[in-house]
Amino acid sequence: MTASAKTDVRRAPLPIFGKAFADGRRALLGWGIGIAAAIFLYLPLYPSMIGTSEMQKLIDSLPRALIRTLNYDQISTGAGYTQATVFGLIGFLLISIASIGWGAAMLGGDEESGQLELTLAHGVTRVQVVVERFAAIMLKVLLITALMFVLIALLDGPSQLGIDVGYLAQTCLLFAGLVLLCGSVAMLGGALTGRRVWGIGAGAFVAVVGYVFNALGNQSADLEWLHGLSPYYWAFGNYPMTNGAQPLALLAFYGGSLLVAAVTALVLRQRDIGV
């Protein structure tokens, strides 16, 4: 290659970020369709389910402990119904799985397949790999959450939800922070072990234990201390769709995710890849 040809070579800006995002675009589309289907399934049912005597009898017949476990204690309002069904249940399940899968695949899955060694052989640093792939996960999470915001806002009127759009935006930010934290921990698990399955386990641990601790803390005053250990409670314990988000919770999620990403970069710098 001549000198003039070499000068014409241009590296794409943020190449690892671009590839990580582009490789997962079809899965991102699939998850977006899935969450959209869930929103269109749940929210239009609200006018026909709430306020009817049959529905109220059904809710009243449920054990109080079960209602609190499912966070259905404010389900009679549009904001409470949306938080309980979309953000706190099906949305949390779907997008947590997506985020954990992305996080576990970024380093653990890539090392298992041998792709991580090839990537590092192309003149990029390990810190750069972690930073750009973490940014790709964050963008995917924010895009899906933005889709949720738009769809819920569109269905607010037709579904008679009576939602405060500002509180909806704050809840979406909390939700994104919660699932991003799960994905970040999954990425760290992959960096520590070089195995995708351990990354999935680490991310799932945060999601599942957070949900379980919230449920147990709702059952008894003696167990309320578990709320302090539950990221799920940090997000939804203050009923953000009704009362707005707590700034400390937002700081915990996004600051915590950045801290986990920093630890992930440090871990990857110290490890022998492929061992």
Side-chain angles (χ1 to χ4, degrees), residues 72-128:
Y72 279 6
D73 39 350
Q74 291 198 359
I75 201 171
S76 60
T77 68
Y81 178 83
T82 304
Q83 179 179 313
T85 57
V86 175
F87 291 106
L89 191 61
I90 190 67
F92 176 64
L93 176 65
L94 289 178
I95 309 307
S96 290
I97 291 173
S99 182
I100 290 168
W102 292 329
M106 285 293 179
L107 297 176
D110 224 25
E111 186 172 346
E112 275 187 340
S113 66
Q115 292 297 314
L116 185 57
E117 291 174 274
L118 293 175
T119 300
L120 293 173
H122 284 77
V124 296
T125 68
R126 299 186 182 200
V127 172
Q128 182 182 355

Side-chain angles (χ1 to χ4, degrees), residues 249-262:
L250 289 169
L251 179 63
F253 286 132
Y254 291 96
S257 296
L258 289 172
L259 179 61
V260 172

